[in-house]
Amino acid sequence: AEQLGVSRQSISKWESGAAWPEMNTLLTLCEVFGVSLDTLLRGSAERSFAADTAGYDAHMDRFARAIALGVALLMGLVICFIYNRFFRGVVYNRSFAVTLVGMTVLTCMVTLAISTNVVLSLGMVGALSIVRYRTAVKDPMDLLYMFWAITTGIAVGANMFALVLIAAIVMILVLLIFSRRSSKGQVYIVVLHYTGDLVGDNIVRAMGNTRFRVKSKTLRGESAEMAMEVFCKTQSMVFLEKLRAV
């Protein structure tokens, strides 16, 4: 009564329905209780507060999902950059590097989708269980980057940003340490065409102490084709002269 500047009898009449407050008094009541005029006259302040809270939570959930997808995209780009930086193979596959980025984002999206709905998570597991991947991974290091991208997407989707950061730092340190310890030099792919098994044995002997690995061997009648991966610590191409001599 003191805040509104009216008597207690007036408030009693309002409560009993014998009289109604004036418009200025209603506006003052809205300011006192912190509600709108419509809520004061028709609704419930608790229901209005619950609706506002639900709307705010839904807005924050959408914002959190957007942040998670953005972090997944950023981490995918980081993984792609690390893959480019520490790649030591012969043939660089750009499409695989792009796949790492997409894999991180898509895994994060799946994790966000199944974390809010149990039924959807069961359906997603059933759908993914029938998928078969037949692409052969030639370099074992590619598997490492693939699992790094997948686990990063799962962790980001679960809002474990600190875990993602720590794992990224550990992975970068491991790759940095082992890349420095690896032997320096050049890697070459040598394709040889020859006839007869004896020539093939002579080729292996001609390599001597040069480190090499046979990638494939194709037989076409009496002729054969051999693809070798040769590791050279220096720029010397002495092994080619020995192979030509064979």
Side-chain angles (χ1 to χ4, degrees), residues 34 48 54 64 109 172 178 190 199 214 217 221 227:
S48 177
M109 182 192 68
I172 292 173
F178 282 93
V190 180
V199 178
V214 178
K217 187 175 182 180

Side-chain angles (χ1 to χ4, degrees), residues 9-198:
Q9 290 79 6
S10 298
I11 294 179
S12 299
K13 291 180 180 180
W14 297 345
E15 292 176 348
S16 62
W20 290 92
E22 297 179 354
M23 181 59 67
N24 293 334
T25 306
L26 290 175
L27 295 176
T28 305
L29 284 173
C30 292
E31 294 178 358
V32 171
F33 293 108
V35 295
S36 63
L37 183 61
D38 186 68
T39 302
L40 181 65
L41 297 177
R42 297 181 180 180
S44 171
E46 294 182 358
R47 289 198 299 268
S48 177
F49 179 76
D52 292 341
T53 303
Y56 176 78
D57 291 340
H59 174 73
M60 292 305 296
D61 288 341
R62 291 191 294 268
F63 182 73
R65 294 190 186 100
I67 291 295
L69 289 175
V71 173
L73 177 61
L74 179 62
M75 290 304 303
L77 293 174
V78 170
I79 295 174
C80 179
F81 174 77
I82 297 300
Y83 174 76
N84 296 336
R85 174 65 177 78
F86 293 98
F87 180 75
R88 292 293 182 270
V90 179
V91 181
Y92 173 76
N93 191 350
R94 181 179 177 82
S95 61
F96 179 77
V98 177
T99 301
L100 295 175
V101 181
M103 187 178 296
T104 307
V105 177
L106 292 178
T107 307
C108 176
M109 182 192 68
V110 171
T111 305
L112 290 173
I114 66 178
S115 62
T116 57
N117 193 322
V118 178
V119 178
L120 182 61
S121 64
L122 296 177
M124 190 73 69
V125 172
L128 294 177
S129 64
I130 64 176
V131 178
R132 296 292 184 270
Y133 300 96
R134 300 182 181 274
T135 302
V137 180
K138 298 180 180 180
D139 192 350
M141 286 298 296
D142 292 347
L143 288 175
L144 175 65
Y145 288 103
M146 289 177 59
F147 279 108
W148 187 9
I150 293 173
T151 53
T152 298
I154 294 174
V156 171
N159 294 327
M160 299 181 180
F161 301 115
L163 179 62
V164 171
L165 180 60
I166 294 173
I169 294 174
V170 172
M171 287 297 301
I172 292 173
L173 290 177
V174 170
L175 293 172
L176 186 62
I177 292 172
F178 282 93
S179 64
R180 289 186 175 181
R181 294 185 58 182
S182 62
S183 58
K184 298 181 180 179
Q186 299 292 330
V187 181
Y188 301 96
I189 292 293
V190 180
V191 179
L192 302 173
H193 298 271
Y194 62 92
T195 303
D197 295 336
L198 182 61

